[in-house]
Amino acid sequence: MLARLWPRKLLGQMILLVVLALLLAQGINLWLLSEAHERALRYNSERFIVRQFASAVAVIEQTPSSLHRSVLRAWQRPGGRYQLTGTEPELPEDRSSYARELREQLLERLGGEYAARTKVSIDEVRFPERDAHHRSEHRPPDTWFRYRPRPPLREVRLAVQLNGGDWLVTRQRAPDGTPMLAASTFIFLSLALLMVIAVVFWQMRRITRPLQRLARAAEDLGRGKKIPPLLEEGPEDISHTVSAFNSMNHRIERFVSERTQMLAALSHDLRTPITAMRLRLELMADSEEKDKLLRSLEEMQQMSEATLAFVRQSGDGEATRPVDINALLGSLCDDLQEMGMAVEWQEGEPVVLEVRPVSLKRALRNLLENAVKYGSSAKASMTATAGWLTIEICDQGPGIPEEQLEAVFEPFRRIEQSRNRGTGGTGLGLSIARQIVTSHGGSLTLHNADTAQGTGAGLIARVRLPR
């Protein structure tokens, strides 16, 4: 499930990681701040209760006993009450450091003479009426989200024996404060999250846009397309990568161009000495040696022409365009059939690819002609999958020994056991075909139809082109 939901592109992964990290950091920060906020609110409220109680004791001590009840009614408030009683209240002895601290603060305001007649107790209690209010639908709109369940409040119980002998007792709790997890908090977090996502999206687009163009250019370069220099933009690391690609592309184009020109010039210049030797042989008397030399010169002439064609193919500048491969292969088979070749075509579904049609047609023609020449017949079929187009050309020949299946792609390489020199050819057909297919980003391989026997019962030429 996680693998399916995880974004596949860099932009989506970075945004998701930043959002998760921000939510985690803000959640921890909010929890820590909420705890600190609650402790600070409780601390200040309980000290206010102590100060208020000390003031009440001072007022009662200075007020006639007939007015004590009226004074106490004036001091009453929600969450706390004051009471005068003639008996000593039963308060559990609280030995906690915080209770001692509150007691010292109370005695600091009342005076040392009250030390023996002062009691302080702190208890954690729940108030059902508060929890019912929390569950009601009439709570304040800005506090629609609270912790569930609510933690218990701490009730402060104070008792002091007055000079007249009565005990003044109070039970009070700190008021509820505004929780940290309020609507305004979530609005702030949402706005912060949106701003962070916007900034990350803008920055990541500056990184991914050049990388996407670089990936497309590298794929086009592998398919033999001419690649114009890419725009060098984005962060320094990305721009340096694009600049290195541009330099590499320029060096490759220059290297191929120089190699093509050199080999083309060499192959062209061989024509002059071959022609001169042919003229001299024509002046010689007829003999068996003369016929052998003429056949050797003819073979040299064919190899020179084939080499020149091979070099020209290497520097082919044909533009790519969308082509229906099914129609291209079908028309090629029809042409060969009209020429009397035993070619069978199994038509498939239309598949449109960006290719150099003249070059690709030449490669497929070489494979079909080889199948007819060395295997008596050719059968072509095409299969399309999600990422590849596979073309298979089968013949009925003796096949090729397994250890020689790769060697036949070498220029001028001929397999004597399966290729009769009298049939013609220079050994460049398969080399040219593989070069063309490879320049389209694909692959060309040979397979014996009967690999289990190892002898071969027909040869299969398999062409795979990326879609």
Side-chain angles (χ1 to χ4, degrees):
M1 177 66 69
L2 182 61
R4 288 197 300 267
L5 296 178
W6 187 255
R8 297 187 180 276
K9 293 190 175 182
L10 178 61
L11 178 61
Q13 292 181 4
M14 287 301 300
I15 290 180
L16 180 60
L17 288 175
V18 170
V19 169
L20 292 178
L22 181 62
L23 291 177
L24 180 61
Q26 291 292 350
I28 295 175
N29 184 49
L30 189 61
W31 175 68
L32 294 176
L33 288 178
S34 180
E35 292 292 325
H37 171 75
E38 183 178 351
R39 287 195 300 270
L41 180 64
R42 179 179 295 176
Y43 183 85
N44 293 328
S45 298
E46 290 171 350
R47 275 153 181 73
F48 174 76
I49 292 173
V50 171
R51 292 195 300 269
Q52 190 180 49
F53 181 74
S55 300
V57 170
V59 171
I60 291 295
E61 292 284 24
Q62 299 175 10
T63 302
S65 58
S66 59
L67 298 178
H68 285 176
R69 302 298 177 184
S70 300
V71 171
L72 290 180
R73 281 196 299 270
W75 280 93
Q76 302 296 341
R77 67 176 184 83
R81 61 177 181 171
Y82 289 85
Q83 180 182 7
L84 273 175
T85 177
T87 60
E88 182 178 354
E90 296 182 1
L91 291 182
E93 186 177 4
D94 195 335
R95 298 181 178 275
S96 65
S97 59
Y98 186 65
R100 290 198 302 269
E101 184 180 347
L102 291 182
R103 188 171 185 277
E104 291 174 359
Q105 184 181 3
L106 180 60
L107 292 177
E108 183 180 348
R109 292 181 173 274
L110 294 179
E113 64 273 14
Y114 288 91
R117 39 195 176 112
T118 298
K119 294 185 176 183
V120 176
S121 177
I122 301 175
D123 299 321
E124 285 191 350
V125 295
R126 286 192 176 276
F127 294 89
E129 68 276 7
R130 183 190 69 143
D131 295 335
H133 172 74
H134 173 63
R135 291 190 295 267
S136 70
E137 299 179 356
H138 303 288
R139 54 184 176 269
D142 193 45
T143 59
W144 52 271
F145 184 93
R146 293 175 182 266
Y147 290 108
R148 295 179 186 271
R150 298 299 307 278
L153 290 175
R154 293 208 304 191
E155 185 180 58
V156 179
R157 302 176 66 182
L158 305 175
V160 171
Q161 186 178 25
L162 303 177
N163 293 329
D166 292 335
W167 286 81
L168 178 62
V169 182
T170 184
R171 295 177 58 183
Q172 299 190 50
R173 65 176 184 269
D176 284 349
T178 302
M180 295 294 293
L181 293 176
S184 58
T185 305
F186 279 91
I187 292 175
F188 166 76
L189 291 178
S190 300
L191 292 176
L193 190 61
L194 289 176
M195 288 187 290
V196 169
I197 291 176
V199 172
V200 172
F201 180 82
W202 173 78
Q203 178 62 21
M204 289 306 300
R205 286 295 295 171
R206 294 184 66 233
I207 296 175
T208 57
R209 189 183 296 112
L211 290 179
Q212 289 172 353
R213 285 198 294 263
L214 183 61
R216 286 194 298 267
E219 184 176 357
D220 292 342
L221 181 62
R223 296 186 179 188
K225 295 183 180 180
K226 295 291 184 181
I227 308 299
L230 300 179
L231 182 62
E232 299 175 9
E233 62 176 0
E236 185 176 359
D237 297 339
I238 302 299
S239 63
H240 282 177
T241 303
V242 176
S243 176
F245 177 84
N246 287 335
S247 300
M248 179 196 68
N249 185 30
H250 176 70
R251 287 193 297 267
I252 290 176
E253 289 181 351
R254 186 177 61 186
F255 170 76
V256 172
S257 177
E258 291 176 352
R259 189 195 68 165
T260 301
Q261 292 176 4
M262 179 187 67
L263 293 178
L266 179 61
S267 179
H268 182 272
D269 291 344
L270 283 176
R271 294 177 178 178
T272 301
I274 290 175
T275 303
M277 293 174 66
R278 183 185 296 275
L279 290 175
R280 292 177 181 175
L281 284 173
E282 292 293 341
L283 298 177
M284 294 174 59
D286 293 339
S287 64
E288 186 178 352
E289 287 296 324
K290 176 182 177 180
D291 293 338
K292 290 181 179 180
L293 289 174
L294 285 175
R295 285 195 298 269
S296 296
L297 286 177
E298 182 65 26
E299 187 174 354
M300 291 175 61
Q301 182 73 29
Q302 291 180 2
M303 294 178 64
S304 176
E305 295 294 337
T307 302
L308 185 58
F310 181 78
V311 172
R312 285 173 178 169
Q313 177 59 45
S314 301
D316 185 16
E318 181 187 359
T320 59
R321 60 183 178 88
V323 175
D324 184 352
I325 306 301
N326 181 67
L328 182 145
L329 188 55
S331 64
L332 177 59
C333 291
D334 292 340
D335 293 342
L336 295 178
Q337 287 173 356
E338 292 177 359
M339 296 171 59
M341 295 186 182
V343 176
E344 182 182 347
W345 160 236
Q346 182 179 346
E347 188 172 0
E349 297 181 358
V351 178
V352 178
L353 298 181
E354 289 275 347
V355 298
R356 298 187 299 281
V358 176
S359 298
L360 183 60
K361 193 171 184 178
R362 180 183 181 187
L364 297 175
R365 186 187 186 98
N366 285 351
L367 296 176
L368 288 168
E369 290 179 347
N370 274 0
V372 173
K373 184 182 298 184
Y374 304 113
S376 71
S377 65
K379 181 179 179 180
S381 62
M382 187 179 73
T383 305
T385 57
W388 295 90
L389 174 67
T390 303
I391 300 173
E392 290 190 349
I393 298 174
C394 308
D395 63 30
Q396 300 298 320
I400 297 177
E402 293 291 328
E403 65 274 9
Q404 298 292 334
L405 288 176
E406 277 297 317
V408 295
F409 289 105
E410 299 175 6
F412 306 108
R413 183 66 178 265
R414 299 164 60 90
I415 307 298
E416 293 298 334
Q417 291 85 346
S418 59
R419 299 302 193 240
N420 186 357
R421 190 176 290 273
T423 59
T426 59
L428 282 175
L430 288 177
S431 299
I432 293 175
R434 171 171 273 191
Q435 184 185 67
I436 293 173
V437 173
T438 304
S439 68
H440 282 81
S443 63
L444 169 59
T445 54
L446 297 179
H447 307 270
N448 285 314
D450 189 7
T451 56
Q453 298 296 329
T455 57
L459 192 67
I460 301 175
R462 184 171 296 137
V463 176
R464 299 183 76 230
L465 295 173
R467 300 185 64 181

